[in-house]
Amino acid sequence: QVQLVESGGGLVQPGGSLRLSCTISGMNFSIIAMDWYRQAPGMQRELVAGISSDGSTNYALSVKRRFTISRDNAKNTVYLQMNSLKPEDTAVYYCKVRGLGYWGQGTQVTVSS
């Protein structure tokens, strides 16, 4: 039973920071690539950031230089550090195993004053 559980979302003011976590069970975490997606109301789900098993990363242009994806293989966890948050970052954030149909349930991030 593969399970992904996101946490760390919440309400933050513009310019603030949050760190999202996604813990996966039921897989050998160290050999898989992981991605963060987000979906805002009325919008399609979009890829935000990804990290491969070797630690290489990629980011959407809209979040590059503000967000950082990382992983801790000992904890079976992938993180998304979000700095300088903007209202347009408001969305439900999901983690996903790259190339497979395994999604978490998502965590809500709301950026508002």
Side-chain angles (χ1 to χ4, degrees):
Q1 309 95 305
V2 176
Q3 292 188 337
L4 293 80
V5 180
E6 301 96 337
S7 63
L11 175 64
V12 65
Q13 295 183 352
S17 298
L18 286 173
R19 189 180 75 158
L20 307 183
S21 299
C22 174
T23 299
I24 184 169
S25 61
M27 297 190 68
N28 188 343
F29 181 78
S30 64
I31 65 171
I32 61 175
M34 297 292 298
D35 295 309
W36 282 100
Y37 287 75
R38 68 184 181 188
Q39 187 167 24
M43 303 291 288
Q44 293 185 334
R45 191 169 297 185
E46 64 174 342
L47 178 65
V48 176
I51 185 165
S52 300
S53 59
D54 65 358
S56 61
T57 59
N58 59 276
Y59 299 92
L61 290 175
S62 60
V63 307
K64 197 167 186 177
R65 303 173 187 173
R66 298 189 297 121
F67 291 10
T68 302
I69 188 171
S70 62
R71 65 192 296 158
D72 186 337
N73 288 343
K75 297 181 179 180
N76 281 20
T77 299
V78 61
Y79 303 96
L80 186 67
Q81 178 66 47
M82 306 185 296
N83 299 325
S84 301
L85 283 163
K86 305 174 180 179
E88 50 263 46
D89 295 318
T90 296
V92 178
Y93 285 71
Y94 302 88
C95 63
K96 180 184 180 294
V97 179
R98 188 179 299 169
L100 298 174
Y102 299 123
W103 295 84
Q105 288 298 305
T107 185
Q108 176 71 51
V109 172
T110 302
V111 185
S112 177
S113 59

